[in-house]
Amino acid sequence: MVKKIDGQFFLNRKECIDYLMQAYDLKWCITTWQKGKIKISYESRDSARAYFLAHAYKVKDSKVIQLSKKELDVGMLW
């Protein structure tokens, strides 16, 4: 479930993939751990592949790591 903390949205890894696939019309998107961060790899509809690293956040009262929606949007703009 998406969590809103201090006006910022945090998504788990599945929600992150669902959001990116829909918001940026991607062919595919996967997440993996890399050096303490989450590597998000994807392919756009025009067959361009790319990736970016995002921080993993531990949110109070949750055992699941979360990713910042704002950081995902910034990563997709590069």
Side-chain angles (χ1 to χ4, degrees):
M1 178 188 253
V2 177
K3 297 184 184 300
K4 185 175 181 181
I5 301 171
D6 294 331
Q8 190 169 340
F9 293 96
F10 291 90
L11 299 86
N12 66 31
R13 286 169 74 169
K14 182 186 179 327
E15 292 165 342
C16 163
I17 290 171
D18 292 343
Y19 167 70
L20 293 174
M21 293 284 294
Q22 197 167 37
Y24 294 96
D25 194 29
L26 303 176
K27 284 185 184 178
W28 56 262
C29 180
I30 60 170
T31 62
T32 55
W33 281 102
Q34 182 174 329
K35 299 180 182 180
K37 293 186 179 181
I38 302 292
K39 179 180 179 182
I40 301 168
S41 304
Y42 61 91
E43 183 174 351
S44 65
R45 290 286 169 198
D46 61 357
S47 299
R49 291 184 179 186
Y51 74 90
F52 64 94
L53 297 175
H55 291 91
Y57 296 96
K58 181 76 169 135
V59 178
K60 186 179 178 181
D61 299 328
S62 176
K63 294 181 181 182
V64 179
I65 65 105
Q66 306 284 323
L67 294 106
S68 164
K69 181 182 171 292
K70 182 178 179 180
E71 191 172 344
L72 295 175
D73 290 331
V74 169
M76 289 300 293
L77 296 176
W78 289 94

